[in-house]
């Protein structure tokens, strides 16, 4: 009888104390681009709202400076300029097209001539795919443009990126002609 009570007491202690749980990491990390230019988290293009989302864009716009400084201007501090031209992307891609690299080279030329201006690159996506997926895709598009500008000699500290995903469409119709206009990087400036 004593051994049965000991077993029951041991089981009760184990039951009440539970198992130690491993901490869950909540830090978001950007996914590395795949050679095809498509995000690694999704094996096929998003066609609806049921697509799984990459962890790097959980329900928030993504803004960032890559120069390590914590003080960065807010997107609302930037304004439109006709000197910097938007660039556009193919469906579910964030690689730069040759025609758009020409626009980026012109943008880099303007930035070199106007060294006292900061630039905000807004990454946008069309409405297809989940909100989180489109935020991550917009971030990759803005980062691709930033990387190109830095390779052209523009200091990374002058550039801020933000992704709005599908939240700020240039066109609100539900067709390919409209979606093409929404898959873009938009450039704004601010005097330093």
């Amino acid at each position: 009888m004593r051994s049965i009570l000991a077993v029951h007491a041991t089981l009760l202690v184990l039951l009440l104390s539970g198992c130690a749980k491993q901490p869950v990491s909540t830090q978001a990390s950007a996914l590395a681009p795949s050679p095809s230019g498509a995000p690694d988290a999704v094996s096929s293009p998003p066609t609806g709202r049921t697509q799984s989302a990459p962890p790097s864009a959980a329900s928030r716009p993504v803004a960032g400076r890559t120069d390590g400084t914590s003080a960065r201007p807010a997107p609302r501090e930037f304004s439109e300029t006709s000197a910097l031209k938007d660039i556009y992307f193919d469906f579910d891609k964030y690689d730069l097209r040759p025609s758009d690299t020409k626009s980026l080279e012109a943008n880099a030329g303007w930035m070199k001539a106007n060294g006292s201006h900061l630039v905000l690159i807004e990454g946008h996506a069309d409405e297809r795919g989940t909100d989180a997926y489109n935020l991550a895709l917009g971030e990759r598009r803005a980062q691709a443009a930033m990387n190109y500008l830095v390779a052209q000699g523009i200091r990374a500290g002058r550039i801020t990126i933000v992704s709005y995903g599908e939240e700020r469409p240039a066109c609100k119709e539900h067709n390919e002609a409209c979606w093409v206009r929404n898959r873009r990087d938009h450039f704004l400036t601010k005097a330093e």
Side-chain angles (χ1 to χ4, degrees):
M1 182 73 163
R2 188 179 246 184
S3 64
I4 293 175
L5 286 176
V7 170
H8 284 272
T10 304
L11 288 174
L12 183 60
V13 168
L14 288 173
L15 181 65
L16 292 175
S17 64
C19 298
K21 294 185 179 183
Q22 297 295 324
V24 176
S25 174
T26 58
Q27 180 179 1
S29 61
L31 299 173
S34 69
S36 69
D40 288 339
V42 179
S43 59
S44 63
T47 57
R49 298 280 176 191
T50 59
Q51 194 73 25
S52 64
S56 66
S59 70
R60 59 165 172 70
V62 179
R65 290 275 294 263
T66 59
D67 63 354
T69 61
S70 60
R72 61 180 176 243
R76 70 180 173 277
E77 296 178 31
F78 291 84
S79 59
E80 299 281 335
T81 179
S82 60
L84 298 177
K85 303 298 179 202
D86 290 356
I87 61 170
Y88 298 89
F89 296 87
D90 291 327
F91 174 67
D92 196 36
K93 301 285 186 198
Y94 56 92
D95 51 330
L96 301 172
R97 303 180 304 186
S99 61
D100 293 310
T101 59
K102 290 180 185 0
S103 294
L104 284 174
E105 288 170 11
N107 289 354
W110 183 90
M111 291 177 71
K112 288 175 183 175
N114 295 277
S116 65
H117 282 78
L118 302 176
V119 171
L120 173 69
I121 305 173
E122 296 178 343
H124 297 272
D126 64 35
E127 66 189 39
R128 296 170 292 177
T130 64
D131 292 341
Y133 181 89
N134 286 334
L135 282 170
L137 185 58
E139 180 182 13
R140 286 186 186 95
R141 288 173 173 170
Q143 188 67 51
M146 178 181 171
N147 291 345
Y148 191 88
L149 292 170
V150 169
Q152 299 299 309
I154 305 302
R155 186 174 47 87
R158 290 180 58 200
I159 303 171
T160 301
I161 64 171
V162 63
S163 175
Y164 291 112
E166 65 189 73
E167 297 303 316
R168 295 186 178 186
C171 178
K172 294 185 181 187
E173 296 172 22
H174 306 286
N175 57 50
E176 185 60 34
C178 185
W179 293 330
V180 166
R181 293 177 48 207
N182 291 335
R183 298 188 301 256
R184 71 195 188 285
D185 279 346
H186 183 65
F187 298 82
L188 303 164
T189 63
K190 175 188 182 307
E192 225 172 343

